[in-house]
mmCIF file with all atom_site columns, all heavy atoms in Angstrom:
data_model
loop_
_atom_site.group_PDB
_atom_site.id
_atom_site.type_symbol
_atom_site.label_atom_id
_atom_site.label_alt_id
_atom_site.label_comp_id
_atom_site.label_asym_id
_atom_site.label_entity_id
_atom_site.label_seq_id
_atom_site.pdbx_PDB_ins_code
_atom_site.Cartn_x
_atom_site.Cartn_y
_atom_site.Cartn_z
_atom_site.occupancy
_atom_site.B_iso_or_equiv
_atom_site.pdbx_formal_charge
_atom_site.auth_seq_id
_atom_site.auth_comp_id
_atom_site.auth_asym_id
_atom_site.auth_atom_id
_atom_site.pdbx_PDB_model_num
ATOM   1   N N   . TRP A 1 126 ? 1.989  13.161 7.047  1.00 98.00 ? 184  TRP A N   1
ATOM   2   C CA  . TRP A 1 126 ? 1.163  12.999 8.242  1.00 98.00 ? 184  TRP A CA  1
ATOM   3   C C   . TRP A 1 126 ? -0.013 13.957 8.319  1.00 98.00 ? 184  TRP A C   1
ATOM   4   O O   . TRP A 1 126 ? -0.932 13.740 9.112  1.00 98.00 ? 184  TRP A O   1
ATOM   5   C CB  . TRP A 1 126 ? 2.034  13.152 9.484  1.00 98.00 ? 184  TRP A CB  1
ATOM   6   C CG  . TRP A 1 126 ? 2.566  11.847 9.931  1.00 98.00 ? 184  TRP A CG  1
ATOM   7   C CD1 . TRP A 1 126 ? 3.415  11.037 9.241  1.00 98.00 ? 184  TRP A CD1 1
ATOM   8   C CD2 . TRP A 1 126 ? 2.266  11.176 11.159 1.00 98.00 ? 184  TRP A CD2 1
ATOM   9   N NE1 . TRP A 1 126 ? 3.673  9.905  9.979  1.00 98.00 ? 184  TRP A NE1 1
ATOM   10  C CE2 . TRP A 1 126 ? 2.979  9.973  11.160 1.00 98.00 ? 184  TRP A CE2 1
ATOM   11  C CE3 . TRP A 1 126 ? 1.476  11.487 12.264 1.00 98.00 ? 184  TRP A CE3 1
ATOM   12  C CZ2 . TRP A 1 126 ? 2.932  9.062  12.215 1.00 98.00 ? 184  TRP A CZ2 1
ATOM   13  C CZ3 . TRP A 1 126 ? 1.432  10.583 13.312 1.00 98.00 ? 184  TRP A CZ3 1
ATOM   14  C CH2 . TRP A 1 126 ? 2.148  9.387  13.274 1.00 98.00 ? 184  TRP A CH2 1
ATOM   15  N N   . SER A 1 157 ? 8.128  5.284  7.630  1.00 98.00 ? 215  SER A N   1
ATOM   16  C CA  . SER A 1 157 ? 8.312  4.825  9.007  1.00 98.00 ? 215  SER A CA  1
ATOM   17  C C   . SER A 1 157 ? 8.954  3.452  9.065  1.00 98.00 ? 215  SER A C   1
ATOM   18  O O   . SER A 1 157 ? 9.876  3.222  9.835  1.00 98.00 ? 215  SER A O   1
ATOM   19  C CB  . SER A 1 157 ? 6.969  4.755  9.721  1.00 98.00 ? 215  SER A CB  1
ATOM   20  O OG  . SER A 1 157 ? 6.249  5.942  9.553  1.00 98.00 ? 215  SER A OG  1
ATOM   21  N N   . GLY A 1 196 ? 17.062 -0.035 20.001 1.00 98.00 ? 254  GLY A N   1
ATOM   22  C CA  . GLY A 1 196 ? 16.601 1.322  19.685 1.00 98.00 ? 254  GLY A CA  1
ATOM   23  C C   . GLY A 1 196 ? 15.857 1.966  20.843 1.00 98.00 ? 254  GLY A C   1
ATOM   24  O O   . GLY A 1 196 ? 15.281 3.037  20.691 1.00 98.00 ? 254  GLY A O   1
ATOM   25  N N   . LYS A 1 201 ? 10.210 10.666 24.047 1.00 97.00 ? 259  LYS A N   1
ATOM   26  C CA  . LYS A 1 201 ? 9.937  11.742 23.078 1.00 97.00 ? 259  LYS A CA  1
ATOM   27  C C   . LYS A 1 201 ? 8.978  11.249 21.996 1.00 97.00 ? 259  LYS A C   1
ATOM   28  O O   . LYS A 1 201 ? 8.123  11.997 21.531 1.00 97.00 ? 259  LYS A O   1
ATOM   29  C CB  . LYS A 1 201 ? 11.242 12.251 22.453 1.00 97.00 ? 259  LYS A CB  1
ATOM   30  C CG  . LYS A 1 201 ? 11.970 11.214 21.598 1.00 97.00 ? 259  LYS A CG  1
ATOM   31  C CD  . LYS A 1 201 ? 13.246 11.756 20.954 1.00 97.00 ? 259  LYS A CD  1
ATOM   32  C CE  . LYS A 1 201 ? 13.982 10.682 20.176 1.00 97.00 ? 259  LYS A CE  1
ATOM   33  N NZ  . LYS A 1 201 ? 13.350 10.187 18.962 1.00 97.00 ? 259  LYS A NZ  1
ATOM   34  N N   . ASN A 1 202 ? 9.113  9.984  21.602 1.00 98.00 ? 260  ASN A N   1
ATOM   35  C CA  . ASN A 1 202 ? 8.295  9.479  20.495 1.00 98.00 ? 260  ASN A CA  1
ATOM   36  C C   . ASN A 1 202 ? 6.883  9.113  20.918 1.00 98.00 ? 260  ASN A C   1
ATOM   37  O O   . ASN A 1 202 ? 5.945  9.192  20.126 1.00 98.00 ? 260  ASN A O   1
ATOM   38  C CB  . ASN A 1 202 ? 8.943  8.254  19.862 1.00 98.00 ? 260  ASN A CB  1
ATOM   39  C CG  . ASN A 1 202 ? 10.207 8.594  19.103 1.00 98.00 ? 260  ASN A CG  1
ATOM   40  O OD1 . ASN A 1 202 ? 10.565 9.761  18.984 1.00 98.00 ? 260  ASN A OD1 1
ATOM   41  N ND2 . ASN A 1 202 ? 10.883 7.599  18.597 1.00 98.00 ? 260  ASN A ND2 1
ATOM   42  N N   . ILE A 1 205 ? 3.417  10.866 20.347 1.00 98.00 ? 263  ILE A N   1
ATOM   43  C CA  . ILE A 1 205 ? 2.672  10.851 19.089 1.00 98.00 ? 263  ILE A CA  1
ATOM   44  C C   . ILE A 1 205 ? 1.768  9.624  18.988 1.00 98.00 ? 263  ILE A C   1
ATOM   45  O O   . ILE A 1 205 ? 2.120  8.531  19.419 1.00 98.00 ? 263  ILE A O   1
ATOM   46  C CB  . ILE A 1 205 ? 3.664  10.841 17.904 1.00 98.00 ? 263  ILE A CB  1
ATOM   47  C CG1 . ILE A 1 205 ? 4.610  12.048 17.971 1.00 98.00 ? 263  ILE A CG1 1
ATOM   48  C CG2 . ILE A 1 205 ? 2.939  10.792 16.565 1.00 98.00 ? 263  ILE A CG2 1
ATOM   49  C CD1 . ILE A 1 205 ? 3.972  13.405 17.980 1.00 98.00 ? 263  ILE A CD1 1
ATOM   50  N N   . ILE A 1 232 ? 19.525 -0.931 23.959 1.00 98.00 ? 290  ILE A N   1
ATOM   51  C CA  . ILE A 1 232 ? 20.570 -1.142 22.947 1.00 98.00 ? 290  ILE A CA  1
ATOM   52  C C   . ILE A 1 232 ? 20.444 -0.024 21.927 1.00 98.00 ? 290  ILE A C   1
ATOM   53  O O   . ILE A 1 232 ? 19.544 -0.024 21.079 1.00 98.00 ? 290  ILE A O   1
ATOM   54  C CB  . ILE A 1 232 ? 20.396 -2.516 22.270 1.00 98.00 ? 290  ILE A CB  1
ATOM   55  C CG1 . ILE A 1 232 ? 20.476 -3.615 23.337 1.00 98.00 ? 290  ILE A CG1 1
ATOM   56  C CG2 . ILE A 1 232 ? 21.452 -2.710 21.187 1.00 98.00 ? 290  ILE A CG2 1
ATOM   57  C CD1 . ILE A 1 232 ? 20.131 -4.996 22.836 1.00 98.00 ? 290  ILE A CD1 1
ATOM   58  N N   . LEU A 1 235 ? 22.355 5.918  21.763 1.00 98.00 ? 293  LEU A N   1
ATOM   59  C CA  . LEU A 1 235 ? 21.987 7.012  22.672 1.00 98.00 ? 293  LEU A CA  1
ATOM   60  C C   . LEU A 1 235 ? 21.485 6.486  24.013 1.00 98.00 ? 293  LEU A C   1
ATOM   61  O O   . LEU A 1 235 ? 20.535 5.700  24.047 1.00 98.00 ? 293  LEU A O   1
ATOM   62  C CB  . LEU A 1 235 ? 20.834 7.841  22.083 1.00 98.00 ? 293  LEU A CB  1
ATOM   63  C CG  . LEU A 1 235 ? 21.031 8.588  20.788 1.00 98.00 ? 293  LEU A CG  1
ATOM   64  C CD1 . LEU A 1 235 ? 19.798 9.435  20.511 1.00 98.00 ? 293  LEU A CD1 1
ATOM   65  C CD2 . LEU A 1 235 ? 22.257 9.463  20.870 1.00 98.00 ? 293  LEU A CD2 1
ATOM   66  N N   . ASP A 1 238 ? 17.722 7.129  24.965 1.00 98.00 ? 296  ASP A N   1
ATOM   67  C CA  . ASP A 1 238 ? 16.617 6.434  24.308 1.00 98.00 ? 296  ASP A CA  1
ATOM   68  C C   . ASP A 1 238 ? 15.732 5.663  25.281 1.00 98.00 ? 296  ASP A C   1
ATOM   69  O O   . ASP A 1 238 ? 14.794 4.976  24.846 1.00 98.00 ? 296  ASP A O   1
ATOM   70  C CB  . ASP A 1 238 ? 17.127 5.522  23.182 1.00 98.00 ? 296  ASP A CB  1
ATOM   71  C CG  . ASP A 1 238 ? 17.253 6.293  21.869 1.00 98.00 ? 296  ASP A CG  1
ATOM   72  O OD1 . ASP A 1 238 ? 16.605 7.343  21.742 1.00 98.00 ? 296  ASP A OD1 1
ATOM   73  O OD2 . ASP A 1 238 ? 17.999 5.854  20.985 1.00 98.00 ? 296  ASP A OD2 1
ATOM   74  N N   . SER A 1 253 ? 23.395 0.769  12.787 1.00 98.00 ? 311  SER A N   1
ATOM   75  C CA  . SER A 1 253 ? 23.202 -0.104 11.619 1.00 98.00 ? 311  SER A CA  1
ATOM   76  C C   . SER A 1 253 ? 23.895 -1.459 11.744 1.00 98.00 ? 311  SER A C   1
ATOM   77  O O   . SER A 1 253 ? 24.210 -2.096 10.739 1.00 98.00 ? 311  SER A O   1
ATOM   78  C CB  . SER A 1 253 ? 23.638 0.586  10.304 1.00 98.00 ? 311  SER A CB  1
ATOM   79  O OG  . SER A 1 253 ? 22.867 1.742  10.065 1.00 98.00 ? 311  SER A OG  1
ATOM   80  N N   . ASP A 1 255 ? 22.754 -3.854 14.322 1.00 98.00 ? 313  ASP A N   1
ATOM   81  C CA  . ASP A 1 255 ? 21.955 -4.696 15.229 1.00 98.00 ? 313  ASP A CA  1
ATOM   82  C C   . ASP A 1 255 ? 21.855 -6.137 14.748 1.00 98.00 ? 313  ASP A C   1
ATOM   83  O O   . ASP A 1 255 ? 21.765 -7.053 15.566 1.00 98.00 ? 313  ASP A O   1
ATOM   84  C CB  . ASP A 1 255 ? 20.538 -4.118 15.382 1.00 98.00 ? 313  ASP A CB  1
ATOM   85  C CG  . ASP A 1 255 ? 20.574 -2.749 16.025 1.00 98.00 ? 313  ASP A CG  1
ATOM   86  O OD1 . ASP A 1 255 ? 20.965 -1.788 15.318 1.00 98.00 ? 313  ASP A OD1 1
ATOM   87  O OD2 . ASP A 1 255 ? 20.265 -2.625 17.205 1.00 98.00 ? 313  ASP A OD2 1
ATOM   88  N N   . ALA A 1 335 ? 13.048 2.536  13.772 1.00 98.00 ? 393  ALA A N   1
ATOM   89  C CA  . ALA A 1 335 ? 14.259 3.138  13.196 1.00 98.00 ? 393  ALA A CA  1
ATOM   90  C C   . ALA A 1 335 ? 15.165 2.070  12.572 1.00 98.00 ? 393  ALA A C   1
ATOM   91  O O   . ALA A 1 335 ? 15.897 2.351  11.627 1.00 98.00 ? 393  ALA A O   1
ATOM   92  C CB  . ALA A 1 335 ? 15.024 3.901  14.272 1.00 98.00 ? 393  ALA A CB  1
ATOM   93  N N   . ARG A 1 338 ? 14.841 1.812  8.998  1.00 98.00 ? 396  ARG A N   1
ATOM   94  C CA  . ARG A 1 338 ? 15.237 2.954  8.164  1.00 98.00 ? 396  ARG A CA  1
ATOM   95  C C   . ARG A 1 338 ? 16.755 3.002  8.035  1.00 98.00 ? 396  ARG A C   1
ATOM   96  O O   . ARG A 1 338 ? 17.409 3.979  8.369  1.00 98.00 ? 396  ARG A O   1
ATOM   97  C CB  . ARG A 1 338 ? 14.683 4.259  8.752  1.00 98.00 ? 396  ARG A CB  1
ATOM   98  C CG  . ARG A 1 338 ? 13.161 4.309  8.714  1.00 98.00 ? 396  ARG A CG  1
ATOM   99  C CD  . ARG A 1 338 ? 12.619 5.706  8.893  1.00 98.00 ? 396  ARG A CD  1
ATOM   100 N NE  . ARG A 1 338 ? 12.943 6.286  10.164 1.00 98.00 ? 396  ARG A NE  1
ATOM   101 C CZ  . ARG A 1 338 ? 12.351 5.962  11.331 1.00 98.00 ? 396  ARG A CZ  1
ATOM   102 N NH1 . ARG A 1 338 ? 11.392 5.055  11.358 1.00 98.00 ? 396  ARG A NH1 1
ATOM   103 N NH2 . ARG A 1 338 ? 12.706 6.560  12.426 1.00 98.00 ? 396  ARG A NH2 1
ATOM   104 N N   . GLN A 1 339 ? 17.311 1.877  7.624  1.00 98.00 ? 397  GLN A N   1
ATOM   105 C CA  . GLN A 1 339 ? 18.746 1.776  7.386  1.00 98.00 ? 397  GLN A CA  1
ATOM   106 C C   . GLN A 1 339 ? 18.949 0.763  6.264  1.00 98.00 ? 397  GLN A C   1
ATOM   107 O O   . GLN A 1 339 ? 18.039 0.007  5.920  1.00 98.00 ? 397  GLN A O   1
ATOM   108 C CB  . GLN A 1 339 ? 19.467 1.346  8.658  1.00 98.00 ? 397  GLN A CB  1
ATOM   109 C CG  . GLN A 1 339 ? 18.857 0.135  9.333  1.00 98.00 ? 397  GLN A CG  1
ATOM   110 C CD  . GLN A 1 339 ? 19.625 -0.299 10.571 1.00 98.00 ? 397  GLN A CD  1
ATOM   111 O OE1 . GLN A 1 339 ? 20.345 -1.276 10.518 1.00 98.00 ? 397  GLN A OE1 1
ATOM   112 N NE2 . GLN A 1 339 ? 19.456 0.397  11.675 1.00 98.00 ? 397  GLN A NE2 1
ATOM   113 N N   . SER A 1 371 ? 8.999  1.776  20.889 1.00 94.00 ? 429  SER A N   1
ATOM   114 C CA  . SER A 1 371 ? 9.767  3.023  20.820 1.00 94.00 ? 429  SER A CA  1
ATOM   115 C C   . SER A 1 371 ? 9.030  4.128  20.095 1.00 94.00 ? 429  SER A C   1
ATOM   116 O O   . SER A 1 371 ? 9.475  5.255  20.117 1.00 94.00 ? 429  SER A O   1
ATOM   117 C CB  . SER A 1 371 ? 11.037 2.758  20.016 1.00 94.00 ? 429  SER A CB  1
ATOM   118 O OG  . SER A 1 371 ? 10.686 2.529  18.657 1.00 94.00 ? 429  SER A OG  1
ATOM   119 N N   . ALA A 1 372 ? 7.946  3.799  19.416 1.00 97.00 ? 430  ALA A N   1
ATOM   120 C CA  . ALA A 1 372 ? 7.542  4.686  18.328 1.00 97.00 ? 430  ALA A CA  1
ATOM   121 C C   . ALA A 1 372 ? 6.314  5.546  18.592 1.00 97.00 ? 430  ALA A C   1
ATOM   122 O O   . ALA A 1 372 ? 6.273  6.704  18.188 1.00 97.00 ? 430  ALA A O   1
ATOM   123 C CB  . ALA A 1 372 ? 7.318  3.857  17.068 1.00 97.00 ? 430  ALA A CB  1
ATOM   124 N N   . ILE A 1 638 ? 22.971 9.942  13.247 1.00 98.00 ? 696  ILE A N   1
ATOM   125 C CA  . ILE A 1 638 ? 21.610 9.476  13.523 1.00 98.00 ? 696  ILE A CA  1
ATOM   126 C C   . ILE A 1 638 ? 20.693 10.688 13.410 1.00 98.00 ? 696  ILE A C   1
ATOM   127 O O   . ILE A 1 638 ? 20.874 11.672 14.131 1.00 98.00 ? 696  ILE A O   1
ATOM   128 C CB  . ILE A 1 638 ? 21.526 8.915  14.967 1.00 98.00 ? 696  ILE A CB  1
ATOM   129 C CG1 . ILE A 1 638 ? 22.369 7.666  15.117 1.00 98.00 ? 696  ILE A CG1 1
ATOM   130 C CG2 . ILE A 1 638 ? 20.083 8.664  15.372 1.00 98.00 ? 696  ILE A CG2 1
ATOM   131 C CD1 . ILE A 1 638 ? 21.840 6.479  14.381 1.00 98.00 ? 696  ILE A CD1 1
ATOM   132 N N   . ASN A 1 640 ? 17.147 11.206 14.160 1.00 98.00 ? 698  ASN A N   1
ATOM   133 C CA  . ASN A 1 640 ? 15.950 10.563 14.715 1.00 98.00 ? 698  ASN A CA  1
ATOM   134 C C   . ASN A 1 640 ? 14.797 11.555 14.853 1.00 98.00 ? 698  ASN A C   1
ATOM   135 O O   . ASN A 1 640 ? 14.899 12.712 14.440 1.00 98.00 ? 698  ASN A O   1
ATOM   136 C CB  . ASN A 1 640 ? 16.299 9.880  16.050 1.00 98.00 ? 698  ASN A CB  1
ATOM   137 C CG  . ASN A 1 640 ? 16.891 10.859 17.049 1.00 98.00 ? 698  ASN A CG  1
ATOM   138 O OD1 . ASN A 1 640 ? 17.147 12.015 16.728 1.00 98.00 ? 698  ASN A OD1 1
ATOM   139 N ND2 . ASN A 1 640 ? 17.120 10.391 18.254 1.00 98.00 ? 698  ASN A ND2 1
ATOM   140 N N   . GLN A 1 641 ? 13.701 11.110 15.472 1.00 98.00 ? 699  GLN A N   1
ATOM   141 C CA  . GLN A 1 641 ? 12.496 11.950 15.542 1.00 98.00 ? 699  GLN A CA  1
ATOM   142 C C   . GLN A 1 641 ? 12.696 13.073 16.565 1.00 98.00 ? 699  GLN A C   1
ATOM   143 O O   . GLN A 1 641 ? 13.247 12.837 17.639 1.00 98.00 ? 699  GLN A O   1
ATOM   144 C CB  . GLN A 1 641 ? 11.278 11.121 15.930 1.00 98.00 ? 699  GLN A CB  1
ATOM   145 C CG  . GLN A 1 641 ? 11.106 9.826  15.138 1.00 98.00 ? 699  GLN A CG  1
ATOM   146 C CD  . GLN A 1 641 ? 10.857 10.046 13.670 1.00 98.00 ? 699  GLN A CD  1
ATOM   147 O OE1 . GLN A 1 641 ? 10.139 10.967 13.294 1.00 98.00 ? 699  GLN A OE1 1
ATOM   148 N NE2 . GLN A 1 641 ? 11.452 9.239  12.832 1.00 98.00 ? 699  GLN A NE2 1
ATOM   149 N N   . PRO A 1 642 ? 12.226 14.261 16.256 1.00 98.00 ? 700  PRO A N   1
ATOM   150 C CA  . PRO A 1 642 ? 12.422 15.396 17.164 1.00 98.00 ? 700  PRO A CA  1
ATOM   151 C C   . PRO A 1 642 ? 11.508 15.317 18.385 1.00 98.00 ? 700  PRO A C   1
ATOM   152 O O   . PRO A 1 642 ? 10.373 14.866 18.281 1.00 98.00 ? 700  PRO A O   1
ATOM   153 C CB  . PRO A 1 642 ? 12.037 16.596 16.296 1.00 98.00 ? 700  PRO A CB  1
ATOM   154 C CG  . PRO A 1 642 ? 11.055 16.052 15.315 1.00 98.00 ? 700  PRO A CG  1
ATOM   155 C CD  . PRO A 1 642 ? 11.458 14.625 15.062 1.00 98.00 ? 700  PRO A CD  1
ATOM   156 N N   . LYS A 1 645 ? 8.436  18.473 18.346 1.00 98.00 ? 703  LYS A N   1
ATOM   157 C CA  . LYS A 1 645 ? 7.474  18.639 17.253 1.00 98.00 ? 703  LYS A CA  1
ATOM   158 C C   . LYS A 1 645 ? 7.242  17.289 16.589 1.00 98.00 ? 703  LYS A C   1
ATOM   159 O O   . LYS A 1 645 ? 7.880  16.303 16.949 1.00 98.00 ? 703  LYS A O   1
ATOM   160 C CB  . LYS A 1 645 ? 7.991  19.639 16.215 1.00 98.00 ? 703  LYS A CB  1
ATOM   161 C CG  . LYS A 1 645 ? 9.364  19.308 15.677 1.00 98.00 ? 703  LYS A CG  1
ATOM   162 C CD  . LYS A 1 645 ? 9.879  20.411 14.758 1.00 98.00 ? 703  LYS A CD  1
ATOM   163 C CE  . LYS A 1 645 ? 11.355 20.246 14.458 1.00 98.00 ? 703  LYS A CE  1
ATOM   164 N NZ  . LYS A 1 645 ? 12.204 20.953 15.441 1.00 98.00 ? 703  LYS A NZ  1
ATOM   165 N N   . HIS A 1 647 ? 7.878  15.727 13.131 1.00 98.00 ? 705  HIS A N   1
ATOM   166 C CA  . HIS A 1 647 ? 8.575  15.976 11.864 1.00 98.00 ? 705  HIS A CA  1
ATOM   167 C C   . HIS A 1 647 ? 8.798  17.470 11.678 1.00 98.00 ? 705  HIS A C   1
ATOM   168 O O   . HIS A 1 647 ? 9.301  18.124 12.583 1.00 98.00 ? 705  HIS A O   1
ATOM   169 C CB  . HIS A 1 647 ? 7.808  15.353 10.680 1.00 98.00 ? 705  HIS A CB  1
ATOM   170 C CG  . HIS A 1 647 ? 7.303  13.979 10.957 1.00 98.00 ? 705  HIS A CG  1
ATOM   171 N ND1 . HIS A 1 647 ? 6.016  13.588 10.728 1.00 98.00 ? 705  HIS A ND1 1
ATOM   172 C CD2 . HIS A 1 647 ? 7.937  12.907 11.480 1.00 98.00 ? 705  HIS A CD2 1
ATOM   173 C CE1 . HIS A 1 647 ? 5.863  12.331 11.089 1.00 98.00 ? 705  HIS A CE1 1
ATOM   174 N NE2 . HIS A 1 647 ? 7.002  11.891 11.557 1.00 98.00 ? 705  HIS A NE2 1
HETATM 175 N N1  . LIG B 2 .   ? 8.144  13.686 19.250 1.00 95.70 ? 1138 LIG B N1  1
HETATM 176 C C1  . LIG B 2 .   ? 8.003  12.954 18.118 1.00 95.70 ? 1138 LIG B C1  1
HETATM 177 N N2  . LIG B 2 .   ? 7.618  11.665 18.192 1.00 95.70 ? 1138 LIG B N2  1
HETATM 178 C C2  . LIG B 2 .   ? 7.484  10.928 17.060 1.00 95.70 ? 1138 LIG B C2  1
HETATM 179 C C3  . LIG B 2 .   ? 7.705  11.494 15.782 1.00 95.70 ? 1138 LIG B C3  1
HETATM 180 C C4  . LIG B 2 .   ? 8.133  12.863 15.729 1.00 95.70 ? 1138 LIG B C4  1
HETATM 181 O O1  . LIG B 2 .   ? 8.369  13.424 14.639 1.00 95.70 ? 1138 LIG B O1  1
HETATM 182 N N3  . LIG B 2 .   ? 8.261  13.552 16.903 1.00 95.70 ? 1138 LIG B N3  1
HETATM 183 N N4  . LIG B 2 .   ? 7.503  10.741 14.645 1.00 95.70 ? 1138 LIG B N4  1
HETATM 184 C C5  . LIG B 2 .   ? 6.647  9.558  14.748 1.00 95.70 ? 1138 LIG B C5  1
HETATM 185 C C6  . LIG B 2 .   ? 6.864  8.680  13.602 1.00 95.70 ? 1138 LIG B C6  1
HETATM 186 S S1  . LIG B 2 .   ? 6.185  9.119  12.113 1.00 95.70 ? 1138 LIG B S1  1
HETATM 187 C C7  . LIG B 2 .   ? 7.503  7.503  13.679 1.00 95.70 ? 1138 LIG B C7  1
HETATM 188 S S2  . LIG B 2 .   ? 7.644  6.506  12.310 1.00 95.70 ? 1138 LIG B S2  1
HETATM 189 C C8  . LIG B 2 .   ? 8.074  7.018  14.947 1.00 95.70 ? 1138 LIG B C8  1
HETATM 190 C C9  . LIG B 2 .   ? 9.456  6.453  14.753 1.00 95.70 ? 1138 LIG B C9  1
HETATM 191 O O2  . LIG B 2 .   ? 9.829  5.713  15.852 1.00 95.70 ? 1138 LIG B O2  1
HETATM 192 P P1  . LIG B 2 .   ? 11.328 5.184  15.909 1.00 95.70 ? 1138 LIG B P1  1
HETATM 193 O O3  . LIG B 2 .   ? 11.763 4.720  14.595 1.00 95.70 ? 1138 LIG B O3  1
HETATM 194 O O4  . LIG B 2 .   ? 11.427 4.270  17.039 1.00 95.70 ? 1138 LIG B O4  1
HETATM 195 O O5  . LIG B 2 .   ? 12.034 6.591  16.263 1.00 95.70 ? 1138 LIG B O5  1
HETATM 196 P P2  . LIG B 2 .   ? 13.475 7.205  16.066 1.00 95.70 ? 1138 LIG B P2  1
HETATM 197 O O6  . LIG B 2 .   ? 13.528 8.354  17.011 1.00 95.70 ? 1138 LIG B O6  1
HETATM 198 O O7  . LIG B 2 .   ? 13.794 7.478  14.657 1.00 95.70 ? 1138 LIG B O7  1
HETATM 199 O O8  . LIG B 2 .   ? 14.434 6.047  16.552 1.00 95.70 ? 1138 LIG B O8  1
HETATM 200 C C10 . LIG B 2 .   ? 14.437 5.544  17.878 1.00 95.70 ? 1138 LIG B C10 1
HETATM 201 C C11 . LIG B 2 .   ? 15.862 5.452  18.347 1.00 95.70 ? 1138 LIG B C11 1
HETATM 202 O O9  . LIG B 2 .   ? 16.565 4.456  17.638 1.00 95.70 ? 1138 LIG B O9  1
HETATM 203 C C12 . LIG B 2 .   ? 17.939 4.747  17.778 1.00 95.70 ? 1138 LIG B C12 1
HETATM 204 N N5  . LIG B 2 .   ? 18.678 4.201  16.639 1.00 95.70 ? 1138 LIG B N5  1
HETATM 205 C C13 . LIG B 2 .   ? 18.917 4.766  15.442 1.00 95.70 ? 1138 LIG B C13 1
HETATM 206 N N6  . LIG B 2 .   ? 19.650 3.935  14.664 1.00 95.70 ? 1138 LIG B N6  1
HETATM 207 C C14 . LIG B 2 .   ? 19.867 2.833  15.408 1.00 95.70 ? 1138 LIG B C14 1
HETATM 208 C C15 . LIG B 2 .   ? 20.555 1.607  15.155 1.00 95.70 ? 1138 LIG B C15 1
HETATM 209 O O10 . LIG B 2 .   ? 21.108 1.361  14.088 1.00 95.70 ? 1138 LIG B O10 1
HETATM 210 N N7  . LIG B 2 .   ? 20.533 0.681  16.148 1.00 95.70 ? 1138 LIG B N7  1
HETATM 211 C C16 . LIG B 2 .   ? 19.917 0.893  17.342 1.00 95.70 ? 1138 LIG B C16 1
HETATM 212 N N8  . LIG B 2 .   ? 19.928 -0.089 18.231 1.00 95.70 ? 1138 LIG B N8  1
HETATM 213 N N9  . LIG B 2 .   ? 19.299 2.049  17.609 1.00 95.70 ? 1138 LIG B N9  1
HETATM 214 C C17 . LIG B 2 .   ? 19.260 2.994  16.651 1.00 95.70 ? 1138 LIG B C17 1
HETATM 215 C C18 . LIG B 2 .   ? 18.055 6.250  17.819 1.00 95.70 ? 1138 LIG B C18 1
HETATM 216 O O11 . LIG B 2 .   ? 18.978 6.640  18.834 1.00 95.70 ? 1138 LIG B O11 1
HETATM 217 C C19 . LIG B 2 .   ? 16.651 6.720  18.070 1.00 95.70 ? 1138 LIG B C19 1
HETATM 218 O O12 . LIG B 2 .   ? 16.530 7.666  19.099 1.00 95.70 ? 1138 LIG B O12 1
HETATM 219 O O13 . LIG B 2 .   ? 8.155  8.078  15.888 1.00 95.70 ? 1138 LIG B O13 1
HETATM 220 C C20 . LIG B 2 .   ? 6.920  8.778  16.035 1.00 95.70 ? 1138 LIG B C20 1
HETATM 221 N N10 . LIG B 2 .   ? 7.054  9.636  17.166 1.00 95.70 ? 1138 LIG B N10 1
#
Side-chain angles (χ1 to χ4, degrees):
W184 269 64
S215 310
K259 65 178 177 69
N260 290 356
I263 303 302
I290 301 172
L293 297 186
D296 273 339
S311 298
D313 297 74
R396 295 197 297 285
Q397 49 178 256
S429 69
I696 294 291
N698 57 354
Q699 312 296 321
K703 54 186 167 270
H705 316 130

